[in-house]
Amino acid sequence: MKNITTAISFIFFSAIAMSQIENEERDKYKFVASFDMRNSFVIGHSVKFNGVKIGLGNSKQRLGIGIHFLRSPIVTTSNKVDVNDATDTNRYGLGYFSLYYERIIFQSKRWEFTAPIHFNVGAIKGEYLNNNGKYVQFLDQGITALTISVKSHYKIYRWVGLSAGLGYNQVLGNDKRTQKALNAPFYSFGLKVFLGETWKLLTNKKYRKSDWD
């Protein structure tokens, strides 16, 4: 497990280091930030993730950090914990910190297609409901995972558009139960707010008055 994580981290940071010097003078990096909402499956339940990503990017790639967490805990009644005062109700939480690299496959004024890869470090936590109606923690397990996806968006205006994406989350390590619970595809679609464009529109009068359509 440790060797796998080390190898992936080395590859990831090597890619970042190389990408930072590529075409540095011709295509300078700028600050980028975006929301990253996802729909996925955890412990066999359909769930929604909230997320935020920040970093640096140019016309060819982006790299940075992100954080993702379940919008609300998962509540189950199918796996009773082997504790005397436990009922059959459990709830789970999941969150992780990410290092990401996103290759821009195609980019135009309105369209963009990208291929992001995330290296995730986080934890899954579980609590059971006891006979007194209180939740008691029984699980706090660290996880590492690799997430690969493809995404696209269409800009309606400079600051807002439509987005869609597909991907897969693969837990690293040999714990079969954790892999079964968390290995899953994910998808996203809906409105996307471009935070960088929004900031420029709010703070730069010249940019706000410039033509775009």
Side-chain angles (χ1 to χ4, degrees):
M1 170 65 183
K2 184 177 180 181
N3 292 336
I4 294 175
T5 302
T6 302
I8 292 174
S9 300
F10 176 78
I11 294 170
F12 187 91
F13 285 112
S14 295
I16 290 177
M18 293 179 65
S19 65
Q20 285 181 322
I21 62 175
E22 180 183 342
N23 297 326
E24 184 175 355
E25 294 301 322
R26 292 183 297 154
D27 195 1
K28 291 186 177 180
Y29 286 81
K30 299 178 181 179
F31 175 77
V32 293
S34 64
F35 296 115
D36 190 23
M37 313 306 181
R38 303 175 182 173
N39 301 276
S40 187
F41 301 90
V42 176
I43 319 174
H45 288 67
S46 177
V47 296
K48 297 180 184 297
F49 281 90
N50 286 343
V52 177
K53 300 195 303 184
I54 60 173
L56 299 173
N58 60 15
S59 65
K60 294 181 176 62
Q61 57 217 341
R62 302 185 185 103
L63 48 100
I65 61 175
I67 184 170
H68 295 80
F69 52 90
L70 287 175
R71 194 172 301 177
S72 58
I74 303 166
V75 178
T76 72
T77 57
S78 57
N79 296 308
K80 186 176 180 179
V81 178
D82 188 16
V83 179
N84 289 334
D85 68 340
T87 67
D88 61 356
T89 299
N90 305 324
R91 69 181 182 186
Y92 297 87
L94 173 64
Y96 51 86
F97 169 85
S98 299
L99 299 173
Y100 78 87
Y101 174 77
E102 184 173 11
R103 189 69 181 180
I104 299 174
I105 301 170
F106 173 80
Q107 189 179 63
S108 67
K109 182 177 179 178
R110 294 187 182 272
W111 284 100
E112 182 177 277
F113 294 88
T114 65
I117 180 170
H118 291 72
F119 176 64
N120 312 310
V121 177
I124 181 170
K125 298 184 179 182
E127 299 174 315
Y128 68 84
L129 184 67
N130 66 18
N131 293 321
N132 295 321
K134 295 183 178 180
Y135 279 100
V136 180
Q137 183 171 295
F138 70 92
L139 175 67
D140 187 356
Q141 181 176 333
I143 57 169
T144 56
L146 200 63
T147 303
I148 300 173
S149 60
V150 290
K151 292 189 172 184
S152 66
H153 71 240
Y154 174 80
K155 284 187 175 181
I156 301 173
Y157 300 107
R158 278 188 289 207
W159 58 277
V160 66
L162 301 174
S163 68
L166 291 171
Y168 192 84
N169 185 70
Q170 175 68 48
V171 174
L172 305 176
N174 299 318
D175 190 329
K176 300 299 182 183
R177 291 178 301 176
T178 304
Q179 289 182 347
K180 183 178 180 180
L182 301 180
N183 285 356
F186 71 85
Y187 62 95
S188 61
F189 62 89
L191 286 175
K192 179 175 182 177
V193 177
F194 302 97
L195 298 180
E197 297 290 340
T198 303
W199 176 254
K200 286 188 286 187
L201 285 169
L202 291 174
T203 60
N204 190 322
K205 185 182 293 186
K206 184 177 180 180
Y207 183 80
R208 186 165 58 245
K209 292 182 176 181
S210 64
D211 292 332
W212 189 73
D213 293 334

